């Protein structure tokens, strides 16, 4: 696991570099997209590179991590709509190239199985962008999630619903109770995991993710088992890392030619 501690703008550029390198090497690459505030600067940078530098997504596909259950198709906080606004509509993905789990399906269990099959049919995710919850979730794999889980229905914790109330006019009652989420094993199948975390509120979750024992209580810790995982954090999110000096030194002394 590589840990990079840098200002948020630099982290966004590094994540965008990783996606750009992958797309230029193989334009049909499959991207994994997260919602929430953590990847927004990455999406801004990708949109800029598309507009100004010709970075194309025309042959790529993308899979979202998760979706709320039951939000109306036109609800602005439905993750499919959020992804459309933050990245899909700003670049040149082909129609239907971006998919998310269907939180409005009559049969949610079947929708989860379909979603797993669609990711597998696409050949799996090449680069997966991730954020982390203050309770240590990745996607919406809340504490206690099976480390072998696949896409399924989950109940959001009170902590996650409080954290996300800011997107619902601070009205907790508007935050859905349930979601569909890629499982931890689904995420672990991606070839490269790139997690972004900024701000002091993420410091404990980042410390556990990188340095804690692997445990379902801190679901992100499963990333320690991934052969290619990159954790991009700012100073505040890194403030509880025991080996922060070592991570800084490693990044400073990294050869220019070596990407993430
Ligand atoms: C969203 C997702 C979540 C968020 C996490 C952090 O698709 O999968 O795991 O990444 O809740 O959210 P922010 O980035 O808003 O702090």
């Amino acid at each position: 696991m590589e840990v990079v501690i840098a200002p948020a703008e630099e982290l966004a550029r590094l994540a965008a570099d990783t996606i750009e390198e992958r797309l230029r090497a193989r334009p049909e690459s499959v991207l994994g997209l997260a919602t929430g505030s953590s990847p927004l600067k990455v999406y801004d940078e990708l949109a800029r590179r598309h507009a100004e530098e010709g970075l194309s997504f025309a042959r790529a596909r993308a899979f979202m991590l998760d979706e709320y259950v039951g939000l109306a198709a036109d609800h602005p906080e439905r993750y499919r709509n959020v992804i459309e606004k933050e990245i899909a509509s700003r670049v040149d993905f082909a129609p239907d190239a971006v998919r998310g789990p269907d939180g409005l399906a009559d049969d949610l269990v079947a929708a989860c199985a379909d979603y797993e099959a669609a990711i597998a049919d696409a050949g799996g995710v090449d680069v997966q962008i991730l954020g982390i919850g203050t309770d240590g979730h990745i996607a919406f794999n809340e504490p206690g999630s099976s480390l072998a889980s696949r896409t399924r229905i989950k109940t959001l914790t009170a902590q996650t619903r409080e954290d996300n109330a800011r997107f619902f006019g601070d009205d907790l009652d508007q935050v859905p109770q349930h979601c569909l989420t890629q499982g931890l094993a689904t995420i672990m199948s991606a070839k490269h995991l790139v997690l972004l975390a900024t701000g002091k509120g993420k410091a404990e979750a980042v410390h556990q993710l990188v340095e804690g024992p692997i445990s379902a209580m801190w679901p992100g810790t499963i990333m320690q088992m991934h052969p290619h995982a990159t954790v991009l954090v700012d100073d505040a999110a890194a403030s509880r890392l025991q080996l922060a000096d070592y991570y800084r030194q490693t990044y400073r002394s990294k050869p220019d030619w070596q990407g993430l």
Side-chain angles (χ1 to χ4, degrees), residues 34-38 65-66 79 131-133 137-139 166-167 202:
T35 39
S37 37
S38 301
L65 281 172
D66 39 23
Y79 277 174
I132 188 165
H137 69 227
I138 55 172
R166 69 190 193 280
F167 296 116
K202 300 290 174 72

Side-chain angles (χ1 to χ4, degrees), residues 30-43:
V30 179
L31 307 178
L33 302 177
T35 39
S37 37
S38 301
L40 292 180
K41 285 189 163 63
V42 181
Y43 297 154

Side-chain angles (χ1 to χ4, degrees), residues 180-211:
L180 304 186
T181 181
Q182 285 190 31
L184 292 169
T186 320
I187 294 167
M188 289 289 285
S189 306
K191 294 179 190 73
H192 185 188
L193 304 181
V194 179
L195 183 139
L196 294 116
T198 53
K200 212 165 179 49
K202 300 290 174 72
E204 178 63 14
V206 167
H207 162 59
Q208 293 291 340
L209 169 83
V210 177
E211 298 171 334

